């Protein structure tokens, strides 16, 4: 039976600014407008060999009506399944394939660490920065921005694989799923990608299984402790690349430069001393690289990050020190003065000095 407690879509339909206090967790809700509509699915199969389609999308399904009681924000959408901590290029590939069939969504579980007793740890992507990253995926996704929705992990943890698929269909009105070839689901990871395809076909849902995006780095970070690692791009690899300070490798795994968000903890905000700013590491909303000196960085200043200032970054045991280059023009008036700010963003380049 389905969990009586039920899962809830996040009520956070919009995220305006970065949270003023660091928060740990998995994803956030961006729910789109509620909609109930008939489906007119004409799935397109990718021509390259990284996608293994099921035969679940049939012509008879094109005009299938959603149940009348389905008011989910993902109704009629295609859901990518996985853990989306890093939003790396493997995750992007799932969204790309979902977008070829319908509106793409990423399913995020909330409260997994608490339920499983994991030690709290900083996310790779700041919660408030996820929407920006997903917006950069639109050109890859047919000009659609993938959205996220949340399910309380406690409400699905003990569901069998069949009950989980039922929940996606009957409670959320999902018309199809996309998952990686190593995806496992259901209580104690009882179900695999093959079973997911079988169940989705049985329930009249589309299922697409994607081959893993492999890590093409010339050397491999030690992942012997991870039994699931087969050389694919993963959040674990991103964390380990950050742990050794290899920002070029991090950029390749993410498909973008890594950005760290810093939020002041008091009303005074951050204050520049001419060309230098030192910020306690406790102000970080997400995971940064190891201690060291980093060049080719930028600090983004202003509510919209519209002021981009070249800088170098030194990370020590307690602080992040931002040192700006010789700046001219409009930057000089801002950075040279004691500019008061409460939020700054650091974008790391592809090198460690």
């Amino acid at each position: 039976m389905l969990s009586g407690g039920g899962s809830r879509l996040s009520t956070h339909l919009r995220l305006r600014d970065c949270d003023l206090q660091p928060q740990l967790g998995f994803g956030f809700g961006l729910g789109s407008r509620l909609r109930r509509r008939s489906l007119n699915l004409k799935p397109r199969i990718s021509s390259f060999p990284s996608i293994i389609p099921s035969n679940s999308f049939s012509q008879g399904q094109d005009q299938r009506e959603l149940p009348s009681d389905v008011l989910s924000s993902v109704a009629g959408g295609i859901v990518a399944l996985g853990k989306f901590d890093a939003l790396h290029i493997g995750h992007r590939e799932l969204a790309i394939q979902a977008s070829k069939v319908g509106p793409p969504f990423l399913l995020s579980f909330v409260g997994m660490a608490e339920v499983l007793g994991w030690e709290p740890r900083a996310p790779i992507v700041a919660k408030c920065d996820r929407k920006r990253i997903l917006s950069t995926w639109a050109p890859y996704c047919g000009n659609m921005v993938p959205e996220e929705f949340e399910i309380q992990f406690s409400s699905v943890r003990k569901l069998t694989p069949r009950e989980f698929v039922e929940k996606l269909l009957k409670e959320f009105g999902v018309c199809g799923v996309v998952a990686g070839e190593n995806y496992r689901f259901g209580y104690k990871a009882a179900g695999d990608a093959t079973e997911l395809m079988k169940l989705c076909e049985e329930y009249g849902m589309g299922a697409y299984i994607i081959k893993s995006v492999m890590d093409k780095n010339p050397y491999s970070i030690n992942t012997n402790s991870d039994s699931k690692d087969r050389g694919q791009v993963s959040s674990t690899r991103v964390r380990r690349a950050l742990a050794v300070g290899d920002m070029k490798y991090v950029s390749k795994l993410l498909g973008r430069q890594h950005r760290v968000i810093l939020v002041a903890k008091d009303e005074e905000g951050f204050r520049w001393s001419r060309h230098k700013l030192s910020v306690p590491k406790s102000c970080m909303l997400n995971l940064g690289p190891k201690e060291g000196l980093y060049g080719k960085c930028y600090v983004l200043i202003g509510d919209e990050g519209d002021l981009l200032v070249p800088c170098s970054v030194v990370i020590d045991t307690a602080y992040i020190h931002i040192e700006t280059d010789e700046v001219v023009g409009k930057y000089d008036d801002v950075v040279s003065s004691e500019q008061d700010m409460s939020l700054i963003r650091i974008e790391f380049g592809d090198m460690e000095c």
Side-chain angles (χ1 to χ4, degrees), residues 157-220:
R157 181 192 182 190
K158 294 188 177 180
L159 296 184
T160 65
R162 177 177 295 275
E163 289 169 341
F164 179 69
V165 172
E166 280 186 354
K167 192 178 192 73
L168 291 178
L169 173 65
K170 297 179 180 179
E171 204 169 311
F172 299 117
V174 169
C175 70
V177 300
V178 176
E181 60 184 342
N182 297 322
Y183 182 69
R184 309 233 20 133
F185 68 109
Y187 187 51
K188 294 186 178 180
D192 59 12
T194 299
E195 185 169 6
L196 178 65
M197 292 175 67
K198 178 181 176 181
L199 287 170
C200 286
E201 186 167 3
E202 181 180 334
Y203 283 96
M205 297 167 59
Y208 286 89
I209 304 303
I210 307 299
K211 289 187 176 180
S212 300
V213 175
M214 303 307 290
D215 181 5
K216 297 180 180 179
N217 200 60
Y219 70 91
S220 177

Side-chain angles (χ1 to χ4, degrees), residues 18 126 128-129 259-263 283-286 344-345:
C18 286
C128 60
D129 199 31
R259 183 176 291 191
V260 170
I261 311 293
L262 304 165
V263 173
C283 294
M284 296 169 61
L285 296 187
N286 61 309
I344 58 175
R345 309 161 182 86

Side-chain angles (χ1 to χ4, degrees), residues 214-261:
M214 303 307 290
D215 181 5
K216 297 180 180 179
N217 200 60
Y219 70 91
S220 177
I221 286 182
N222 183 9
T223 54
N224 293 336
S225 61
D226 187 353
S227 60
K228 297 180 181 179
D229 186 88
R230 299 291 184 272
Q232 72 273 22
V233 173
S234 66
S235 296
T236 298
R237 285 179 178 254
V238 176
R239 286 184 179 275
R240 290 177 177 171
L242 286 169
V244 298
D246 189 339
M247 302 313 294
K248 184 175 182 179
Y249 185 22
V250 171
S251 296
K252 288 182 177 179
L253 293 171
L254 296 180
R256 63 182 185 277
Q257 292 184 324
H258 184 55
R259 183 176 291 191
V260 170
I261 311 293

